[in-house]
Amino acid sequence: MSLVQGRQSFEEILTDQLDGLKSAVLAAHGSVLEDLQLRVQGGCCETPMIHELRETREQRVPRERLSVEEEEELLQRGPQELMILMDSAPGKFMEETLSPGPVDRWYDLYMHLRSKSRRPPVAEPSQLTILEPWTAKFSFKALQKGLSRPMFKRRPSLTLGDTMLDKRWLFRKITLTPHGNARLAWTFFGLLAICWDLIFIPLQMFDINAEVDNLINVVSVAIFVYWVLDVPATFITGFDRAGILEMRIHEIARNYAKGWLGLDVTVLVLDVMIFVVLSFNTESESGSNDSMGSFRLARALRLMRFLRLLRLHKMANLAAEILDRFKTDSFLLTMNILRSLAAVLALNHYMSCAFLGLALFAAEGELTWIEIAELQHMDFLTQYFSALHWSLTQFMPATNNIAPNTAPERIYAIFVVLIGLAVFSSFVSGVTNTVNQLRQIHTEHFKQESRMKSFLTQKSVSVDVWCRVQKFCRLRILLDKMSLKEGDIPMLQDLPHGLRVKLHAEIYMPILVSANWMPSDVTEIDEELMLKLCDKVLLEKVASPMQEIFLERGECPEVVIPTAVPRQSLIYWSSRLKDYVRVEEGTWLCELSLWARWEYRGQLDTEEVSHYVVIPTQEFALAVTKAGGSLFQLIRTIGLLYIAKAESQDANCDGIPLTDLPLLSESDAQDVTDRAKRFGQLRLSPRKASNASLGGLFGGGRVHICVSQSEGRN
């Protein structure tokens, strides 16, 4: 009994000590709790659960510990009933299931863990830091100086790539460029006219039939009209003189007069004489009985048309002008082979006509090759193609059943064999050289493919893997051709400065002026600066399939402008957007980086080979700032307006998120440009500046531009 009493007294002592310790801890915790509540009110949001727990703790009435019967009743409740009670009212669940001590401890523990937990970052409006070159002090005198300087300064000497224009406006309008589309079409018709004369002029010494003769006469008149019009067309077509494009009328006329003008006029005069004599001969045939004499005269006049072949000197130049428009080496080399083959066929055409003429115009009683081959009663086409077959067999190893018989025919056959030996050897060597050039283009790819085949053979791979690897290698060769950049062509680095500037202007100027904020008359404001940007700043890059062009949260050093995107293969992802965006060609991405420091707010991936142009932001800002003038002021003002708009959009949590996509639509961007122009006009008129409202210019919003300490000193 004493042991029991001693044990009970020990439990009572321990209970009293624990109650005292609890009271001390709760008293110390009260002050900490007030501090925690102040911190919660200062920025930490309360969840519904902790709010209900706090209200339950403040409003509940202190009660005694649960009796044994009440605890047994709670323990008899099912788990589902307890879960429903906890989900619907967590405070009530704690109040009914736990004693006051555990409720307080649960609340205190929850608040303590929440105060130590990492709070989620609060989205704050970003303040963009303007790039250092744009913070340079602006001088009104520098603006006036920039406006007063001429757009182009004539260089004392000409360089390759320059164009000499006529001073008279009318002559500049009517002058044709030698490489233009209009001149190309005119050249193509001239090449067809020469080919027609080359084929049908030797056939005119034979009497084919009346329909063919009429067709030849009509086409001859049309060709004559073409060459008559070609003389004035040549007088207004520019030409290249040692790399300089000459477009002045008097220089074009002087060059043509020293060149082929005399020969062209001579051939035209002969054509006129032939037409006049043939017309008189036709009238005389109707009233004369000497049909044989008229026939011989007409044949002699037709043979005079061989003088038209003097225009063959133009054929090589015309063909070269047309082939210059094609850009693939494989096609050009194939055309060289076809051109050599066409030359051989043209030579055999004339050889066969001469061989046929020896037989048809031979003296009576001579046994010619036509009679031996029993072709004297055949039509003209059969006789002609038989002669052509014989001529081709003399140029290459082949057989035929036609042989010369008379002395003139045998002498002519010997001459043809000698000519054929030289022509065939030259043709074979030319084709061989062309094929070797085709192989040299792909020499490196052939070496890699051969080594790859050897490797696969040594490893004894399966047919399926072999075919897949082969397919990938061919695809890689195609991708290398599609991914060609300017830096891959060393020859372009040796171009003269003037010609290189023109090349870059044609490639990059349409891209540079395509920005929504770029004024439409930017080339009129400062064309020299725009040409400098195209030549020195803009660069072209190529992205391979499944490549990331940029990643989110990385530093942005350049603006990205897609130029060649097959099937919208560029995909933009951002954590600020709900879905991805397909980027189209010509879209300016990260354009705010032109004026302020920027971090990528998304990721740009490509599914196929994509070409894009980049504008390094530092180089762009330095080039524009160094040039000065009105365009510098305009672009800087546009940048300030863009930064103000970006900060305003980023501060609006309910609006469109600020990403790397274009900030403004085309209409809104043009509105910003117009406001920047008005601001520039105020700078040009200082008297009116005092009456202007800069706040109205910026749309009534505040502009937050952070400038570092080092930048502020500039």
Side-chain angles (χ1 to χ4, degrees):
M1 187 68 181
S2 61
L3 291 175
V4 176
Q5 290 178 353
R7 187 183 301 172
Q8 290 178 350
S9 62
F10 175 76
E11 290 179 355
E12 291 176 357
I13 294 173
L14 181 60
T15 301
D16 295 336
Q17 291 179 355
L18 289 176
D19 291 339
L21 180 61
K22 175 185 175 183
S23 302
V25 171
L26 289 178
H29 182 68
S31 59
V32 178
L33 182 60
E34 294 178 358
D35 185 23
L36 290 175
Q37 291 176 347
L38 292 176
R39 292 176 59 185
V40 171
Q41 295 175 0
C44 183
C45 301
E46 291 186 351
T47 61
M49 180 177 179
I50 192 62
H51 179 72
E52 186 176 355
L53 288 174
R54 181 174 58 82
E55 289 184 349
T56 303
R57 183 185 181 189
E58 293 176 354
Q59 297 176 3
R60 66 180 174 82
V61 179
R63 60 185 179 85
E64 299 297 334
R65 294 178 181 270
L66 294 177
S67 61
V68 178
E69 293 78 6
E70 292 176 343
E71 290 180 356
E72 291 179 356
E73 182 182 358
L74 288 173
L75 293 176
Q76 291 177 359
R77 294 189 181 184
Q80 185 176 4
E81 184 180 357
L82 293 177
M83 292 297 295
I84 294 175
L85 181 61
M86 184 180 66
D87 293 338
S88 60
K92 185 178 180 181
F93 171 77
M94 301 292 246
E95 177 72 19
E96 293 185 0
T97 57
L98 298 177
S99 60
V103 174
D104 294 338
R105 289 193 298 271
W106 171 257
Y107 177 79
D108 297 339
L109 178 62
Y110 186 88
M111 290 299 301
H112 182 65
L113 293 176
R114 183 170 178 82
S115 63
K116 287 188 176 183
S117 63
R118 185 178 179 181
R119 298 182 182 180
V122 181
E124 297 181 356
S126 59
Q127 294 184 353
L128 302 178
T129 304
I130 194 170
L131 296 179
E132 183 176 354
W134 301 111
T135 62
K137 293 184 178 180
F138 181 76
S139 174
F140 182 75
K141 294 183 178 180
L143 176 60
Q144 296 292 345
K145 181 179 179 180
L147 292 175
S148 61
R149 72 172 188 267
M151 288 298 179
F152 282 104
K153 297 180 180 179
R154 177 61 60 186
R155 292 187 294 269
S157 60
L158 297 174
T159 60
L160 291 177
D162 286 347
T163 302
M164 304 300 297
L165 299 175
D166 206 302
K167 296 181 179 179
R168 287 159 289 189
W169 174 82
L170 179 60
F171 288 169
R172 289 200 305 269
K173 288 294 183 181
I174 64 175
T175 306
L176 301 176
T177 57
H179 309 296
N181 294 330
R183 184 61 189 179
L184 177 65
W186 186 260
T187 301
F188 179 74
F189 285 117
L191 187 61
L192 292 180
I194 293 178
C195 292
W196 174 272
D197 289 340
L198 187 66
I199 295 173
F200 285 94
I201 283 180
L203 296 178
Q204 293 182 18
M205 64 181 181
F206 306 106
D207 293 329
I208 304 176
N209 54 56
E211 295 180 356
V212 175
D213 290 340
N214 293 333
L215 176 63
I216 292 176
N217 292 332
V218 171
V219 176
S220 298
V221 173
I223 292 175
F224 172 75
V225 173
Y226 170 83
W227 290 116
V228 169
L229 297 177
D230 183 67
V231 174
T234 307
F235 273 109
I236 61 173
T237 302
F239 65 96
D240 288 321
R241 175 188 290 172
I244 298 174
L245 183 59
E246 185 62 68
M247 300 291 288
R248 294 176 293 183
I249 292 293
H250 64 280
E251 292 293 335
I252 297 173
R254 183 181 303 174
N255 180 73
Y256 187 35
K258 292 180 179 179
W260 301 102
L261 177 61
L263 183 59
D264 291 344
V265 173
T266 301
V267 175
L268 289 176
V269 171
L270 290 175
D271 281 341
V272 173
M273 293 175 59
I274 292 173
F275 286 133
V276 172
V277 174
L278 285 177
S279 62
F280 281 115
N281 182 63
T282 304
E283 294 178 359
S284 62
E285 285 181 358
S286 59
S288 176
N289 296 325
D290 189 8
S291 59
M292 183 60 65
S294 300
F295 173 75
R296 291 177 179 176
L297 178 61
R299 181 180 298 168
L301 292 175
R302 290 174 181 175
L303 292 178
M304 290 181 62
R305 290 183 175 176
F306 274 94
L307 296 175
R308 284 185 177 181
L309 297 181
L310 294 174
R311 297 193 181 99
L312 286 177
H313 72 277
K314 292 186 174 182
M315 189 171 186
N317 296 331
L318 297 179
E321 291 180 5
I322 295 176
L323 291 178
D324 287 342
R325 304 298 291 265
F326 298 97
K327 304 176 182 179
T328 58
D329 295 335
S330 301
F331 179 81
L332 292 177
L333 294 176
T334 304
M335 291 302 299
N336 288 334
I337 296 177
L338 295 178
R339 185 169 56 181
S340 301
L341 183 61
V344 172
L345 289 176
L347 181 60
N348 280 272
H349 171 65
Y350 279 83
M351 294 292 184
S352 60
C353 289
F355 189 59
L356 181 60
L358 289 175
L360 293 179
F361 303 133
E364 296 182 0
E366 292 185 353
L367 187 62
T368 63
W369 66 269
I370 290 182
E371 295 175 353
I372 295 177
E374 300 180 355
L375 299 175
Q376 65 272 21
H377 301 296
M378 296 294 180
D379 57 352
F380 174 77
L381 290 178
T382 303
Q383 296 175 353
Y384 166 75
F385 283 113
S386 298
L388 181 62
H389 181 203
W390 173 85
S391 177
L392 289 173
T393 56
Q394 310 308 308
F395 279 71
M396 56 195 68
T399 60
N400 66 89
N401 57 348
I402 296 175
N405 187 46
T406 63
E409 292 176 356
R410 292 187 179 277
I411 294 174
Y412 180 75
I414 294 173
F415 174 76
V416 170
V417 170
L418 296 177
I419 295 297
L421 179 62
V423 172
F424 181 72
S425 301
S426 176
F427 173 75
V428 171
S429 63
V431 172
T432 303
N433 293 333
T434 304
V435 172
N436 290 334
Q437 292 180 14
L438 283 172
R439 289 179 178 176
Q440 289 177 0
I441 295 176
H442 308 289
T443 300
E444 187 63 28
H445 297 299
F446 288 155
K447 290 181 179 179
Q448 295 181 5
E449 187 174 357
S450 177
R451 296 178 63 184
M452 182 268 300
K453 290 181 179 179
S454 300
F455 174 79
L456 296 179
T457 303
Q458 294 176 4
K459 301 302 179 181
S460 301
V461 299
S462 62
V463 177
D464 179 60
V465 176
W466 177 287
C467 296
R468 294 176 64 181
V469 173
Q470 286 276 79
K471 185 177 180 181
F472 171 79
C473 292
R474 296 190 184 97
L475 179 62
R476 185 63 186 176
I477 294 175
L478 181 60
L479 293 179
D480 291 342
K481 292 181 179 180
M482 296 174 60
S483 304
L484 195 63
K485 303 184 292 297
E486 181 180 349
D488 300 332
I489 308 175
M491 189 179 298
L492 292 179
Q493 306 302 323
D494 299 331
L495 287 178
H497 179 264
L499 188 58
R500 188 178 69 250
V501 170
K502 293 182 181 296
L503 175 64
H504 289 164
E506 289 194 6
I507 296 175
Y508 298 126
M509 186 66 76
I511 301 173
L512 187 57
V513 301
S514 65
N516 292 336
W517 50 267
M518 191 69 72
S520 57
D521 56 346
V522 61
T523 55
E524 299 177 3
I525 298 175
D526 197 340
E527 187 173 3
E528 185 177 356
L529 174 58
M530 297 295 292
L531 292 175
K532 183 178 180 181
L533 292 175
C534 294
D535 184 42
K536 299 295 184 181
V537 179
L538 273 72
L539 300 173
E540 183 183 10
K541 294 185 178 182
V542 181
S544 302
M546 310 308 295
Q547 177 183 346
E548 301 89 359
I549 297 179
F550 57 78
L551 298 174
E552 192 170 1
R553 297 187 180 277
E555 185 178 357
C556 176
E558 57 194 16
V559 178
V560 178
I561 310 169
T563 55
V565 183
R567 296 185 293 274
Q568 294 184 347
S569 58
L570 282 180
I571 302 177
Y572 178 77
W573 308 79
S574 178
S575 58
R576 300 168 179 261
L577 300 177
K578 297 180 179 179
D579 199 359
Y580 66 88
V581 178
R582 293 278 183 178
V583 180
E584 299 180 354
E585 295 181 3
T587 303
W588 283 54
L589 302 174
C590 313
E591 56 187 352
L592 277 172
S593 62
L594 290 175
W595 301 283
R597 290 192 175 91
W598 183 260
E599 289 186 354
Y600 293 119
R601 301 201 170 194
Q603 177 177 337
L604 185 64
D605 302 331
T606 177
E607 297 177 341
E608 298 184 15
V609 177
S610 301
H611 294 250
Y612 61 97
V613 172
V614 298
I615 304 178
T617 56
Q618 285 290 343
E619 287 81 352
F620 178 84
L622 289 174
V624 176
T625 305
K626 185 178 179 180
S630 57
L631 186 56
F632 157 71
Q633 175 63 20
L634 178 61
I635 294 178
R636 186 169 72 165
T637 306
I638 292 174
L640 296 177
L641 295 174
Y642 258 71
I643 293 174
K645 176 63 178 177
E647 292 181 345
S648 176
Q649 179 174 329
D650 200 25
N652 186 9
C653 300
D654 298 332
I656 302 176
L658 184 63
T659 61
D660 301 307
L661 298 175
L663 179 65
L664 300 176
S665 62
E666 184 176 358
S667 59
D668 295 339
Q670 286 299 320
D671 180 64
V672 169
T673 303
D674 295 339
R675 288 156 59 188
K677 285 184 177 180
R678 291 196 298 269
F679 178 74
Q681 294 174 358
L682 295 178
R683 296 299 298 263
L684 291 175
S685 304
R687 296 179 180 178
K688 299 180 181 180
S690 59
N691 298 327
S693 173
L694 187 61
L697 177 68
F698 284 88
R702 297 181 60 188
V703 183
H704 302 279
I705 302 175
C706 297
V707 182
S708 62
Q709 186 176 359
S710 61
E711 295 170 350
R713 289 194 296 267
N714 295 329

